Amino acid sequence: MTLEPGSLGARADAAKRYANLIGGRPTPAGRHLPVANPATGEIVGHMPIGTADDLDAAVAAARAAFPAWSATPSETRKQACLAIAAALKDHAEELAHLLTLEQGKPLNGLGSRWEIGGAQAWTAATAALDIPVKVLQDDNQGRVELHRKAIGVVGSITPWNFPVLIACWHIVPAVRAGNTVVIKPSPHTPLATIRLVELINAVLPPGVVNIVAGDDALGAAMSAHPGIDKMVFTGSSATGRKIMGAAAQTLKRLTLELGGNDAGIVLPDVDPKQIAEGLFWGAFVNNGQTCAALKRLYVHDSIYDAVCAELVRVAATVSVGNGLDESSALGPIQNAMQFNRVRELVEDAKARGGRVLIGGTPPEGAPGHFYPVTLVADVDHGIRLVDEEQFGPALPIIRYSDVEAVIAKANDNANGLGGSIWSADTAKARALALRLDCGIAWVNKHGAIQPNAPFGGVKQSGIGVEFGEEGLFENTTIQTVIS
Ligand code: NAD
């Protein structure tokens, strides 16, 4: 399919000025900024720039809504969350389209439709969870009950890679547990989240979920706000540290889902042909802009060349293009800053002996932040592409010969989000996976997540988990009652 410049922006309302939603009402902002489509540079709409007063109003609305919402019967809150899941389903195509326009990811494959479908699935799964009272003792000495109570107002700050899915991961467990929410989306991708919160507000009482879009300073103000009781943040480790510092003043509860530099280790007993697709998409899902993507690939010397060749074969079949083109499997990098970072890391790797197997040079003069799928061989620790999180479509492939040494290398990183072992012997692979310093480990796959499997990082990849009962419980405080 050929694309005429501008032809795919037709369904965006470029002139539309989006409003924040505070206390159930649209709250027009005094200032707006354009949001651009990373594939074309065309304007998708205008985001509101919330002020400190808007933030105060949103926190006040959330505080006002908290007593009634936290006292609402659990079953009613469950039904409300199921109604959010239904709204996501009813508006799936509209949300997916808006998401592709502002984020760049394709509608198809593991793109926008997948993200909205995931948001719906996670919302329904979270709705179904319960928070029972646990009886720790009940005998003639007395009765001890463990109750989990809502915390209060949860402040949520989201990144630009999976804006709608991550917003649901923050909002839904919070409200399911009886909290109220103020969310600030990434200034790179605020529009689909505003639409999501509009849909949520058609279901929940006013003030339970509020959105204030704005710049990074607004996020800093949220983290320090005395009216917010807990922060849930997904984004870079650098910002996570700032949030932790600001939150310390009021001892807010924290869930931090931060950066990763996941290692994948391929043992010599695999069939390179069989694992190539899995390795590729483990690394390149969402164009590599995925927290728990495979970011450092270690391959045993005996099959190194064969695995590289198979990865090149898969990479060559992947079409990169405008996300609205139904045939695109990957879109552009979401923003210029990230594009420049990926380019810089690849150039550095090339200058230091890295061998580019495919990609490595972005197209000249084309509109959009398109960067080709890039595989770089013959690199090792000490090169930025290996040591730092690239968060984009460039995978370093490292040769190893000793399993003990490669486990040590995989763990030699400040991050600890995910990791994977690839082997024909799954029992051996599971045992090695347990030796990886990471919050979630996979065997013969990478990056697969599911609503019943707690997800979170160790070391500098974060604090706490999301998903499942454990994730839901992070939205509660414990009260024990002894009688
Ligand atoms: P980022 O940290 O730059 O921004 C994330 C959010 O933080 C944005 O909404 C931004 O406005 C806000 N922010 C910026 N400065 C702030 C401050 N001082 N105080 C409070 N908020 C502030 O991250 P990003 O570039 O949007 O996302 C990419 C990063 O997110 C990568 O490192 C990636 O690994 C990580 N990530 C982690 C997970 C996970 O679950 N662990 C998931 C997705 C992304």
Side-chain angles (χ1 to χ4, degrees):
M1 174 178 173
T2 46
L3 300 175
E4 298 302 321
S7 62
L8 293 179
R11 282 173 66 187
D13 182 358
K16 181 165 175 178
R17 287 174 180 267
Y18 286 73
N20 288 316
L21 240 99
I22 299 174
R25 283 192 302 276
T27 308
R31 203 159 72 84
H32 292 80
L33 278 178
V35 175
N37 181 340
T40 61
E42 291 170 326
I43 303 307
V44 181
H46 291 77
M47 69 175 284
I49 301 300
T51 61
D53 286 347
D54 292 327
L55 177 61
D56 285 345
V59 173
R63 292 215 80 80
F66 178 71
W69 183 247
S70 57
T72 298
S74 176
E75 182 57 31
T76 309
R77 292 202 303 259
K78 175 182 290 190
Q79 293 307 324
C81 291
L82 288 173
I84 295 172
L88 279 161
K89 189 173 181 199
D90 291 346
H91 294 267
E93 199 55 24
E94 174 201 347
L95 284 166
H97 197 270
L98 186 54
L99 182 56
T100 287
L101 286 175
E102 67 175 348
Q103 208 284 339
K105 64 180 64 186
L107 284 168
N108 273 331
L110 297 169
S112 294
R113 291 186 182 120
W114 179 88
E115 177 168 345
I116 304 301
Q120 185 200 328
W122 253 269
T123 298
T126 306
L129 295 172
D130 284 313
I131 308 180
V133 175
K134 199 168 168 185
V135 178
L136 302 177
Q137 182 186 328
D138 192 15
D139 56 23
N140 54 12
Q141 305 291 311
R143 182 175 166 92
V144 181
E145 295 173 349
L146 185 155
H147 294 251
R148 291 190 172 272
K149 298 166 75 171
I151 301 170
V153 176
V154 173
S156 148
I157 300 180
T158 51
W160 47 258
N161 58 342
F162 289 94
V164 175
L165 185 58
I166 292 175
C168 288
W169 289 350
H170 289 188
I171 293 171
V172 178
V175 299
R176 176 69 188 87
N179 303 282
T180 56
V181 175
V182 177
I183 181 170
K184 187 203 86 67
S186 167
H188 292 293
T189 53
L191 305 183
T193 313
I194 292 176
R195 183 67 187 123
L196 168 75
V197 173
E198 284 173 8
L199 295 171
I200 290 176
N201 268 268
V203 170
L204 298 183
V208 173
V209 177
N210 309 272
I211 184 163
V212 185
D215 53 18
D216 294 351
L218 191 70
M222 280 178 78
S223 325
H225 201 292
I228 293 180
D229 304 288
K230 172 192 164 113
M231 290 299 300
V232 51
F233 170 71
T234 303
S236 63
S237 299
T239 305
R241 281 182 205 104
K242 291 182 192 161
I243 289 175
M244 197 169 178
Q249 292 309 313
T250 46
L251 287 174
K252 291 183 193 1
R253 274 61 191 151
L254 290 173
T255 300
L256 302 176
E257 299 287 0
L258 308 178
N261 195 354
D262 293 11
I265 299 174
V266 179
L267 301 189
D269 63 358
V270 298
D271 174 357
K273 264 194 179 39
Q274 259 185 18
I275 62 164
E277 286 264 345
L279 282 177
F280 181 85
W281 287 108
F284 289 91
V285 55
N286 206 33
N287 226 5
Q289 303 165 120
T290 303
C291 51
L294 203 174
K295 292 173 181 154
R296 292 176 284 155
L297 179 61
Y298 298 85
V299 181
H300 192 269
D301 187 40
S302 62
I303 51 164
Y304 187 85
D305 293 336
V307 169
C308 286
E310 285 302 319
L311 281 171
V312 169
R313 182 185 57 76
V314 176
T317 65
V318 171
S319 61
V320 179
N322 189 314
L324 291 184
D325 182 339
E326 298 276 351
S327 68
S328 297
L330 294 175
I333 292 180
Q334 203 282 326
N335 57 72
M337 193 186 65
Q338 196 61 36
F339 176 90
N340 289 332
R341 178 172 168 76
V342 172
R343 183 164 58 182
E344 198 179 300
L345 294 191
V346 173
E347 290 306 319
D348 176 69
K350 282 190 213 170
R352 303 185 61 190
R355 181 165 53 98
V356 174
L357 302 176
I358 190 167
T361 311
E364 287 282 333
H369 308 307
F370 286 101
Y371 195 93
V373 165
T374 297
L375 298 167
V376 186
D378 299 344
V379 282
D380 208 338
H381 287 226
I383 281 186
R384 290 183 65 199
L385 185 60
V386 176
D387 295 346
E388 299 179 21
E389 182 186 35
Q390 66 278 53
F391 212 65
L395 179 68
I397 311 174
I398 302 144
R399 195 187 292 266
Y400 80 90
S401 52
D402 178 70
V403 172
E404 288 303 314
V406 81
I407 294 279
K409 268 187 163 177
N411 289 337
D412 182 21
N413 195 278
N415 291 304
L417 193 53
S420 59
I421 307 286
W422 302 69
S423 170
D425 181 344
T426 48
K428 180 179 172 188
R430 256 198 309 275
L432 286 175
L434 275 167
R435 294 179 56 199
L436 293 175
D437 295 340
C438 58
I440 182 158
W442 293 277
V443 170
N444 294 333
K445 55 179 98 167
H446 198 115
I449 49 169
Q450 50 191 70
N452 63 352
F455 174 83
V458 300
K459 301 199 285 188
Q460 294 189 29
S461 285
I463 294 177
V465 293
E466 295 182 287
F467 313 164
E469 197 175 62
E470 289 81 359
L472 181 65
F473 287 177
E474 296 225 354
N475 292 278
T476 65
T477 48
I478 287 175
Q479 184 178 41
T480 41
V481 178
I482 303 175
S483 57

